Amino acid sequence: MTSPHTLDTDQARTRLHELIVLDVRTSGEYATGHLPGSLNIPLDHLKQALPDIRHAAERGNILVVCASGARSESACNTLSAQGITTATLTGGTGAWAAAGHPLHHPDTNRNTTWSMERQVHLTAGAIVLTGLALGRLRHAFRLASAGVAGGLVFSALTNTCGMAALLAKLPHNRTHQGDLEVTLAALRDH
């Protein structure tokens, strides 16, 4: 398995018309803004979409995108192991927006979900504060704070996030099966 190819935001912008862009963030994150023309296939649905992605890769170059680049790199590695060549956007949609490139915001009445990074910050902070406050009553509560701190260190060292994986399973972050089928049909027609 080789490391994925990368495109910076300017390279991706100039080639956007010729790329098949897959956004592997949760559907809630995708709804907050995504690269124009991108298709949402959340990371946890990637294996289900493999046949359609493989077929699309035969017709064009695939760019995989997420919020910061970590999930898209993971997706690229998974696809590479299946013989599918892809590239990832350096810095993800965050870098894309910071470079002044437009994000598409769908016309939807659905409440938009916070970014996964923001959800992790809220959850980790709430657990740490609760653990510290209740730690005055019972020492064992401070262990929750220590556990979160250890998880954050592990997350930084491995470029993975167990808390994000758990939060992605919450209903507001989940893709509806019908939405995924529509996305896969669009990928087949791409």
Side-chain angles (χ1 to χ4, degrees), residues 102-122:
L103 289 174
H104 175 73
H105 298 277
D107 297 328
T108 176
N109 293 330
R110 192 177 354 176
N111 290 334
T112 56
T113 301
W114 286 358
S115 71
M116 188 56 64
E117 182 178 10
R118 188 174 179 191
Q119 291 180 55
V120 168
H121 289 168
L122 174 70

Side-chain angles (χ1 to χ4, degrees), residues 73-167:
E73 184 176 338
S74 174
C76 285
N77 288 333
T78 298
L79 295 171
S80 176
Q82 297 295 317
I84 301 170
T85 302
T86 59
T88 185
L89 178 64
T90 303
T93 55
W96 179 269
H101 304 312
L103 289 174
H104 175 73
H105 298 277
D107 297 328
T108 176
N109 293 330
R110 192 177 354 176
N111 290 334
T112 56
T113 301
W114 286 358
S115 71
M116 188 56 64
E117 182 178 10
R118 188 174 179 191
Q119 291 180 55
V120 168
H121 289 168
L122 174 70
T123 305
I127 292 171
V128 168
L129 286 174
T130 303
L132 291 174
L134 295 176
R136 297 183 66 85
L137 301 174
R138 212 172 259 270
H139 179 70
F141 286 113
R142 282 191 243 167
L143 293 177
S145 298
V148 169
L152 291 172
V153 170
F154 179 79
S155 175
L157 293 174
T158 61
N159 202 25
T160 62
C161 185
M163 188 177 291
L166 290 173
L167 291 172

Side-chain angles (χ1 to χ4, degrees), residues 39-104:
L39 300 170
N40 183 223
I41 302 177
L43 188 58
D44 61 341
H45 291 299
L46 199 63
K47 289 186 179 169
Q48 178 182 350
L50 273 174
D52 295 311
I53 296 170
R54 184 182 320 281
H55 184 66
E58 293 170 358
R59 297 186 320 271
N61 294 318
I62 295 181
L63 177 66
V64 183
V65 179
C66 69
S68 66
R71 285 179 279 178
S72 60
E73 184 176 338
S74 174
C76 285
N77 288 333
T78 298
L79 295 171
S80 176
Q82 297 295 317
I84 301 170
T85 302
T86 59
T88 185
L89 178 64
T90 303
T93 55
W96 179 269
H101 304 312
L103 289 174
H104 175 73

Side-chain angles (χ1 to χ4, degrees), residues 20-43 45 63-67 71 93 102-108 110-117 119 168 172-176 179-180 182-184 186-187 190:
I20 300 167
V21 182
L22 303 180
D23 191 318
V24 295
R25 297 176 297 158
T26 66
S27 60
E29 290 177 289
Y30 178 80
T32 65
H34 51 271
L35 272 67
S38 65
L39 300 170
N40 183 223
I41 302 177
L43 188 58
H45 291 299
L63 177 66
V64 183
V65 179
C66 69
R71 285 179 279 178
T93 55
L103 289 174
H104 175 73
H105 298 277
D107 297 328
T108 176
R110 192 177 354 176
N111 290 334
T112 56
T113 301
W114 286 358
S115 71
M116 188 56 64
E117 182 178 10
Q119 291 180 55
H172 65 276
N173 285 323
R174 301 289 302 162
T175 298
H176 298 96
D179 293 343
L180 183 61
V182 168
T183 298
L184 294 178
L187 182 60
H190 205 280

